[in-house]
Amino acid sequence: SRLWKVGVLVRLITLLNGLLLVGTASYMVWREVSLEEEEGSKEAGTKHSPFEGMLPDQVIEHLPANVVLRTVLRRSMAILAGVAMIALEVWTAAAEGATRAALGLAFGPGGRFCLFCLAALLCAPMMDLEHSLEDGYVSCGAVGVTLVAGLLQALLLCCFPAYRTHCVADLDKDKFSLDSSAFPQVYQRDDGVHLHVGVLLPGFSQQEELNMTVNTSEVELVGDISKMEAPFGASVDTSTSVGGPIGPFARVVKLEQPVDCSAGVVSEMKHGIVEFRFQKGFVPPRG
């Protein structure tokens, strides 16, 4: 489904952005260490660098520990932001339900955009416009890409608000079941958002030749009352209500007659009463 594709795209963008921040910060650490080495060589009056021809990791090993530590600390916030993004997607892939329960705001458009803005803010000290134009392009480009990625994800989640409440793992593939115990055969397919029920009737091609409804003799009423109206609203709220009437509730009701749940249900709100009107179901004569 489209919702599953959006979830995969959101995860991919976040994961790639985290890798980009970690890679950019690591590159900037190497560049600054190299510049420190070059400046030290110039001050000593050496014509050629003693580290010439060495690999970057070998250069870092031969530099004083305080130079490397100071450089890493300056870029640590950007590395931390990238690692946090990668960890978020790893935890989400391992236990999406628990991650959503702990960090629910991170899966909404506003929370997602704030997350990327925070990452860009942590990466701001990484921007370097003093040493070279190349370093400026790389560091500022990483921060800019982070902001654009956050805006893109916020736009996607605004267009698909159902992603906030549905796990991507549940939308990965359809769940299909077939019941052949009696005629007609019935299959059920769960696409993560809707439940599809199909009736296999071989030989029938036109609905006009078939009378069939979806009858039910039992319904479950589920609701949530946030507050009561006057004159009770001022004295009864969630803190003073115990066991009702404030808060969620659920009740199973046995119907006097079967109703057709495939037809539209009409609800009407009166003073203190919510009334539902069902269409009666089709009951074939039994001989």
Side-chain angles (χ1 to χ4, degrees):
S1 63
R2 291 187 301 174
L3 192 59
W4 178 80
K5 294 178 181 178
V6 170
V8 173
L9 181 60
V10 167
R11 285 188 179 182
L12 182 61
I13 292 176
T14 306
L15 184 60
L16 292 179
N17 203 107
L19 293 174
L20 173 66
L21 294 182
V22 173
T24 303
S26 302
Y27 169 78
M28 295 302 297
V29 168
W30 173 75
R31 284 286 298 170
E32 189 165 346
V33 168
S34 300
L35 290 175
E36 291 281 352
E37 174 261 326
E38 292 177 1
E39 291 177 359
S41 299
K42 290 180 180 179
E43 291 178 359
T46 58
K47 184 176 181 181
H48 298 285
S49 171
F51 306 109
E52 186 176 357
M54 290 186 178
L55 296 175
D57 55 346
Q58 295 174 334
V59 173
I60 293 177
E61 290 176 359
H62 287 77
L63 283 175
N66 62 329
V67 175
V68 179
L69 181 62
R70 183 177 70 249
T71 304
V72 171
L73 289 178
R74 291 183 58 185
R75 313 303 183 191
S76 60
M77 300 305 293
I79 297 177
L80 178 63
V83 171
M85 285 187 173
I86 297 174
L88 174 63
E89 296 309 321
V90 171
W91 290 335
T92 303
E96 185 172 0
T99 306
R100 285 176 176 269
L103 302 172
L105 291 178
F107 296 90
R112 204 74 171 187
F113 182 68
C114 291
L115 176 66
F116 275 77
C117 287
L118 178 61
L121 183 62
L122 293 176
C123 296
M126 181 180 64
M127 294 188 295
D128 189 354
L129 301 176
E130 298 179 356
H131 294 91
S132 67
L133 190 61
E134 179 185 354
D135 293 347
Y137 283 151
V138 172
S139 57
C140 295
V143 177
V145 168
T146 302
L147 292 175
V148 172
L151 186 62
L152 177 60
Q153 290 201 19
L155 180 61
L156 286 173
L157 297 181
C158 285
C159 296
F160 295 90
Y163 175 79
R164 174 66 178 82
T165 56
H166 290 84
C167 293
V168 177
D170 297 337
L171 304 173
D172 189 6
K173 58 182 179 180
D174 293 345
K175 299 178 181 179
F176 182 85
S177 63
L178 176 65
D179 184 5
S180 304
S181 59
F183 177 84
Q185 292 180 322
V186 176
Y187 70 83
Q188 298 185 41
R189 180 169 59 87
D190 185 0
D191 63 5
V193 180
H194 303 94
L195 177 64
H196 304 263
V197 178
V199 183
L200 304 180
L201 297 171
F204 290 93
S205 59
Q206 296 183 4
Q207 193 171 359
E208 291 78 7
E209 301 175 358
L210 173 67
N211 291 325
M212 186 176 65
T213 62
V214 182
N215 284 358
T216 181
S217 300
E218 181 180 286
V219 295
E220 183 179 10
L221 302 177
V222 181
D224 190 359
I225 301 176
S226 58
K227 67 177 182 179
M228 297 187 68
E229 298 181 355
F232 308 103
S235 58
V236 180
D237 55 15
T238 55
S239 61
T240 59
S241 175
V242 179
I246 303 297
F249 64 89
R251 180 176 178 179
V252 177
V253 180
K254 298 285 186 179
L255 302 178
E256 297 292 337
Q257 297 185 26
V259 298
D260 180 11
C261 61
S262 64
V265 180
V266 180
S267 61
E268 182 180 359
M269 182 67 184
K270 302 178 182 179
H271 184 68
I273 299 176
V274 179
E275 183 178 279
F276 298 95
R277 185 167 72 247
F278 298 89
Q279 181 176 329
K280 289 186 177 181
F282 171 72
V283 181
R286 302 181 183 275

